[in-house]
Amino acid sequence: MKRVYTTLSLLLACCLNAVLAQTPLYLDDKQPIEVRVQDALQRMTLEEKVRLSYAQSKFSSPGVPRLGIPELWWSDGPHGVRMEINWNDWGHAGWTNDSVTAFPALTALAATWNPAMSAAYGKALGEEARYREKDVMLGPGVNIYRTPLNGRNFEYMGEDPFLASRMVVPYIREMQKNGVAACVKHYALNNQEQWRGHIDVQLSDRALHEIYLPAFRAAIVEGGAWSIMGAYNKIRGTHACHHDLMLNRILKQEWNFDGVVVTDWGGAHDTREAALNGLDVEMGSYTNGLTSESDFGYDDYYLGHAYLKLVKAGEVPLSVVDDKAARILRLIFRTAMNRNKPYGTLCTEEHYATAEAIGNEGIVLLKNSPVSKKAAPLLPLREDYRSILVVGDNATRRLTEGGGSSELKVKEMVSPLDGLRALYGDRVKYAKGYTSGRPMYGRVKEIPQQVTDSLRAEAVSLAREAEVVIMIGGLNKNHFQDCEGGDRQQYGLPFGQDKLIEELRAANKNLVLVLLSGNAVEMPWVEQVPAIVQGWYLGSMGGKSIANVLSGRVNPSGKLPFSFPARLTDCGAHAFDALSYPGDSIRQEYKEDILVGYRWHDTKKVPALFPFGHGLSYTTFTYGKPVLSTRQMVPGGEVEVSVSVKNSGNVAGKEVVQLYVGDEKCSVLRPVKELKQFRKIALQAGEEQTVTFTLTEDDLKFYDETSATWKAESGKFKLYIGSSSTDIRAVETLKR
Ligand code: BGC
């Protein structure tokens, strides 16, 4: 009997070994991914390889069913996991289990100037994406804020390449720990929505390398993003989605990107270019990326049968087909076929807490003056107010809806009015004051363009009776108001809000204005309004964060990630003719060149209304004299810059210490100064802390167009240390 058992177990072991020996390497997740990719590739037919490169539905692309390699599910992005979309068109699928946490918009995240917040964001969003079984999240976006008219600025991280770089990396790293790929977008130069599908951007190599590429580079090289989305627009004559310089040479060769380049939805235009110029996956063709759809078969995509035909005709080398397929397999193994990924979670207390914390730190206190000589500043709100009037459509509006592809269906939503009522109860009254229409894309004629007089009159009359008035206005994510597919058509506030603000101020001097927007707006009433708060789009817990800051439960610590010009023409992009913005409908020239944002305001001596890096606190911070480890930067060397910062007020607070570098004399034009380091620190009242930054030679360099390298010249450099780009507390010099 014993012998029978031994023989049986031997037999079993043999069978098992035989089965294991036959397990294809691509299925064995103990093997390195590259071994699995090569193994899968050699088992695939040409047709199967080509089939990986184009969509099978609006938001999925196929795997290799014969080999058990699963499909990829893509989803927007970037502020939460979008609701399910129909298989073949843009309609909402109407599921009942796809409500999520809406996180603050990326402008708000950037305004925290806190990379730890970005890490928390990526982690929480990655967990929600896993729960919803998404493999690729379409975000984050790091297009540079060039003009306040760009309808999509709210999805990006501001005007400064260094700030955007530091903020994008932790988001990607933490998200991808969930086995969910980040898809950085829109690569590159999609800096406006007008004519986004074809506008041909002309710019200098310096502007490209110094301003528009660094955040993408950081996302790929440091963040290790597994995918990237090509932009809709053209660059120097060719569509960004199939652009040899941008995709083959810069992204794949220089930055060693080993992931997948996907089109923006409908961003491919030519089979040969798509095949040869670095595109890997084509999605959403024959749509406008938002609303329109036409009858088509997926095989008719540029990377569909037409691509297969070119390969069979020998016009596209097999090495190109293998490279694309390998990248897509790598992405599938990293995500859909990753057996070690966690399950994920949806709408948890932790996710809401994360959304609230980011909102708390992202809100920017732009202005906070006393209403009379002897009075204290208007904010934080006095606890003893008996009657608080809240005015404005945005006090109750779901700003998670609209905006385009970043729209979200939320499970929980605390509006600003809810948030204030939770703190102040029935001391709060509400008047709408103006109306701005239901959330929608396009069809702008349906959107009311002016304030309804009766709404304004009601608000103003209630304002006379209240002790304090809090107006919650701004833009609203409809077409032309911070929305994909169109730019803003005016710099000022829409829906008659200017008039409403002026009348409210005349009725009650205790006026707090909270602007919800992803963009700067013109403020003709800025002198009259004592307290102004930039409240962004803050997602599910936005109303809590706003109430926290207005009440003083949270001390504001956000800083502007972009400048607020007083007039539109004070912004570099708008200081030239229409060819600079928006272009002549075919071409566009970035005439301000490298002088984007504060680089323009500083260098051209055109002060911004609220400068880059600006944000007030309920406490004050005093800076000590900086100490430098050496005043000479040698090649390959480092310089340490230390500065002590003290909370010199009465309440705990957070400060963002900013270090800018300026080149005193150079053979090319350089901005007065550029952000090179920053650190956010928390200080109790009276507490002091020393912040130490390390500069290297790279921080002194510019992109030299002649040699196509980064170069530092000898001479004197200035180090500016301060609390914003204009509130500079100390200037030191350094030689190289
Ligand atoms: C947008 C992308 C988005 C895609 C899919 C496009 O219209 O530009 O950002 O990810 O649609 O919804």
Side-chain angles (χ1 to χ4, degrees), residues 59 76 82 90 138 152 185-186 229 232 264 289 405 484:
F59 280 97
D76 286 304
R82 193 180 187 183
W90 286 103
L138 303 175
R152 282 191 100 168
K185 64 194 195 182
H186 306 89
M229 181 187 286
Y232 279 132
D264 199 339
S405 55
E484 181 177 345

Side-chain angles (χ1 to χ4, degrees), residues 29 33 36-37 61-63 69-74 126 129-130 133-137 172 175-183 224-227 259-260 327-343:
D29 61 0
I33 281 197
R36 297 171 64 196
V37 166
S61 60
I69 295 176
E71 58 204 12
L72 281 172
W73 279 91
W74 311 68
R130 268 304 305 126
E133 301 196 333
K134 302 302 178 193
D135 303 306
V136 187
M137 284 298 291
I172 294 169
M175 171 179 283
Q176 294 192 162
K177 285 184 185 161
N178 290 285
V180 174
C183 184
W226 292 335
S227 61
V260 165
R327 289 169 182 277
I328 301 160
L329 289 169
R330 200 174 286 130
L331 180 60
I332 295 176
F333 292 152
R334 283 169 165 165
T335 60
M337 234 172 133
N338 172 354
R339 293 201 191 102
N340 300 316
K341 62 190 176 192
Y343 288 111

Side-chain angles (χ1 to χ4, degrees), residues 58-59 75-78 82 85 90 137-139 152 155-156 183 185-186 190 193 196 229-230 232 263-266 283-284 287-291 404-406 484-485:
K58 192 62 58 197
F59 280 97
S75 172
D76 286 304
R82 193 180 187 183
I85 303 293
W90 286 103
M137 284 298 291
L138 303 175
R152 282 191 100 168
E155 289 184 66
Y156 303 141
C183 184
K185 64 194 195 182
H186 306 89
N190 187 178
E193 289 297 285
R196 68 174 178 175
M229 181 187 286
Y232 279 132
T263 55
D264 199 339
W265 268 227
M283 300 291 292
T287 75
N288 68 3
L290 269 178
T291 46
S405 55
S406 64
E484 181 177 345

